[in-house]
């Protein structure tokens, strides 16, 4: 049997997934069942695009439920590393500046399950996070990006 993947996330991220799961199981699943019932009433199922679309949506919802359940079951809650408050680690926010004179950027490094760059949360699997993890305030770090390697300086870790 294959070893299941661990999903690193904050407690907040796990709670968000639990809320999504509850919504999918109670409300969304029921909405799709209703759409299937209505579509059945349109007659011949072999030429019923509404029925096909509702069945496809049902498959998507059930797939997402299974995925979220797996993520919750294999969740590893990120604990803040209090050993070295100046070191970049999972669950911490890091502010850095692209050298020589770029703007400051701040991101929180989270597990891939709750990554959302638009909210300032990047996955620990991303090239930026992989490069920053384990480094401390004041260090200059090389980051390989699709556009080439850049140098950044770590300014703050929270």
């Amino acid at each position: 049997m294959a070893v299941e993947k661990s999903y690193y996330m904050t407690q907040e991220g796990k709670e968000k997934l639990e809320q999504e799961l509850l919504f999918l199981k109670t409300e969304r699943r029921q909405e799709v069942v209703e759409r299937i019932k209505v579509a059945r009433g349109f007659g011949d199922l072999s030429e019923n695009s509404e029925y096909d679309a509702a069945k496809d949506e049902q498959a998507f919802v059930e797939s997402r439920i299974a995925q979220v359940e797996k993520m919750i079951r294999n969740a590893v809650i990120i604990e803040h590393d209090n050993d070295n408050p100046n070191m970049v680690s999972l669950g911490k926010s890091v502010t850095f500046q692209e050298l020589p004179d770029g703007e400051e950027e701040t991101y929180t490094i989270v597990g891939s399950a709750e990554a959302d760059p638009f909210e300032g949360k990047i996955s620990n699997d991303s090239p930026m996070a992989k490069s920053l993890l384990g480094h401390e305030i004041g260090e200059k770090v090389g980051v390989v990006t699709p556009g080439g390697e850049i140098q950044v300086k770590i300014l703050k870790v929270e």
Side-chain angles (χ1 to χ4, degrees):
M1 189 169 141
V3 176
E4 291 200 23
K5 176 182 177 186
S6 296
Y7 294 91
Y8 294 94
M9 61 185 77
T10 61
Q11 184 62 40
E12 175 188 329
K14 183 177 181 189
E15 289 167 5
K16 199 172 180 182
L17 282 177
E18 289 168 343
Q19 290 171 357
E20 179 184 358
L21 183 61
L22 181 65
F23 170 76
L24 289 170
K25 284 183 163 183
T26 58
E27 295 179 39
R28 193 74 183 107
R29 189 183 261 168
Q30 199 57 37
E31 290 171 5
V32 173
V33 168
E34 283 302 314
R35 282 190 57 206
I36 291 172
K37 283 182 189 176
V38 169
R40 272 194 194 130
F42 294 147
D44 184 6
L45 297 182
S46 66
E47 295 180 13
N48 188 332
S49 62
E50 288 86 359
Y51 179 78
D52 290 341
K55 290 299 280 183
D56 288 346
E57 188 174 355
Q58 183 182 41
F60 173 79
V61 169
E62 294 303 323
S63 172
R64 181 64 183 159
I65 287 171
Q67 180 183 29
V68 172
E69 285 176 336
K70 180 179 177 182
M71 291 166 74
I72 291 170
R73 185 174 57 249
N74 296 306
V76 176
I77 303 302
I78 299 167
E79 301 292 333
H80 290 287
D81 179 11
N82 293 325
D83 293 341
N84 187 346
N86 296 325
M87 183 177 288
V88 178
S89 61
L90 213 51
K92 291 185 179 178
S93 292
V94 59
T95 302
F96 60 87
Q97 178 183 27
E98 187 177 336
L99 299 175
D101 55 2
E103 293 182 25
E104 288 185 16
E105 296 180 48
T106 302
Y107 292 102
T108 302
I109 300 175
V110 296
S112 59
E114 64 180 308
D116 185 350
F118 296 111
E119 288 187 18
K121 296 178 178 181
I122 60 172
S123 167
N124 61 316
D125 293 327
S126 70
M128 180 62 74
K130 282 182 178 179
S131 298
L132 294 172
L133 287 169
H135 292 279
E136 297 185 21
I137 294 172
E139 285 190 52
K140 293 178 183 172
V141 180
V143 180
V144 178
T145 69
E149 185 170 322
I150 61 170
Q151 291 288 315
V152 299
K153 181 176 181 181
I154 301 171
L155 304 175
K156 187 168 41 172
V157 176
E158 301 176 298

